[in-house]
Amino acid sequence: MAADGFAKWTRRFEDERERRRAQGDPEWERGAVLHRAVWAGIQRFQVGEDGDGANLVAKAEAAGDADYARAVRLFVAEEQNHARLLARLLTAGGRPTLSGHWSDTVFVRLRRLLGLRTELLVLMVAEVVALRYYRALRDGTDDALTTEVAGRILADERRHVPFHCARLHDSLAGLPAVARRPVLALWRLLLLAATLVVVADHGAGLRRLGVGRRRFAADVMASSAEAVLTPRPDAWTGGA
């Protein structure tokens, strides 16, 4: 990556922070009406978005790139804002937040097993799944408040994936070429496992949003190559 690569990302996150401040919050007083199965899915994704991100920030700071560490802190702030938006949406619909969910606990433990590379690989699984879920939530309901909240989060997630890819491409390029394909294969297996958990757990809600289990899983897996391999597929699969 160019010397100013993560400085550019920092500026993008800061620009987006200022845009959010100028835009303000959705009109929560409109309320929200959704099927209980859709609400259940929102509750579980809200748990996944919540957290202080301290472990990721610490690893980013240890990497020795001040611009990258700053960008990671801004990314964590955006994720915390997603949790806040979803919590406010639940309140608007008269639904409580959850104190936790087993799937989030598993992901957090996986992310913390090793260093920054492993943390980002596991985080990318959640990000790729979230892209499809928030698109379904945005497009699959006629509730205006839900559509707005999901659209705001989806726009952020579409920036988060290439941000994490930029760091992963640099990190994985340092691996021996023979190790890159197995790493990608293992990552896709983890993504498939996570996707199957989501479709099993959220099937009723996804159907209410007009996306069946098979379609959701197929869309996630089809998007994974583009999401992770661009813009530098050679960093994963090519080179000496």
Side-chain angles (χ1 to χ4, degrees):
M1 171 168 288
D4 63 345
F6 289 111
K8 290 181 179 179
W9 277 108
T10 297
R11 289 193 294 271
R12 291 178 191 177
F13 278 114
E14 290 173 340
D15 288 346
E16 183 59 24
R17 181 183 60 191
E18 294 308 310
R19 190 199 65 78
R20 283 197 305 273
R21 286 176 177 171
Q23 181 184 32
D25 262 12
E27 297 177 5
W28 303 115
E29 63 274 11
R30 289 180 291 179
V33 178
L34 299 167
H35 189 273
R36 63 180 180 276
V38 178
W39 282 124
I42 294 172
Q43 286 173 315
R44 290 165 192 161
F45 270 82
Q46 194 276 335
V47 171
E49 298 281 5
D50 204 8
D52 62 11
N55 196 63
L56 175 60
V57 169
K59 290 176 181 178
E61 290 177 344
D65 184 331
D67 289 324
Y68 177 64
R70 171 65 176 163
V72 166
R73 287 192 291 272
L74 291 165
F75 156 75
V76 169
E78 285 194 357
E79 292 289 288
Q80 292 171 337
N81 186 56
H82 295 173
R84 183 188 69 84
L85 290 173
L86 292 175
R88 292 293 303 272
L89 177 62
L90 288 165
T91 299
R95 302 282 170 159
T97 59
L98 302 179
S99 60
H101 192 260
W102 69 266
S103 59
D104 182 60
T105 301
V106 170
F107 262 86
V108 169
R109 289 180 178 176
L110 283 174
R111 283 169 51 185
R112 293 179 177 177
L113 281 176
L114 297 172
L116 179 60
R117 181 187 298 153
T118 300
E119 176 114 7
L120 292 179
L121 284 169
V122 177
L123 179 59
M124 279 292 295
V125 169
E127 295 285 289
V128 172
V129 172
L131 281 173
R132 186 63 185 95
Y133 175 76
Y134 289 121
R135 180 157 65 93
L137 188 62
R138 183 197 63 184
D139 298 342
T141 175
D142 57 3
D143 182 83
L145 183 60
T146 301
T147 298
E148 181 178 353
V149 169
R152 290 189 185 200
I153 296 174
L154 180 62
D156 288 343
E157 297 291 359
R158 284 174 169 165
R159 285 184 294 102
H160 293 175
V161 168
F163 167 62
H164 293 312
C165 281
R167 178 70 193 190
L168 275 173
H169 292 153
D170 287 348
S171 176
L172 292 165
L175 290 174
V178 69
R180 295 173 197 160
R181 287 186 185 276
V183 167
L184 178 57
L186 287 172
W187 181 84
R188 285 179 61 82
L189 282 174
L190 180 60
L191 176 64
L192 177 60
T195 303
L196 292 177
V197 169
V198 170
V199 298
D201 200 28
H202 298 259
L206 291 173
R207 285 195 300 273
R208 287 283 173 175
L209 296 173
V211 183
R213 286 184 170 96
R214 290 185 179 181
R215 179 182 167 191
F216 184 89
D219 287 351
V220 170
M221 297 310 297
S223 70
S224 65
E226 179 181 357
V228 175
L229 295 180
T230 56
R232 283 183 51 201
D234 59 298
W236 285 77
T237 59

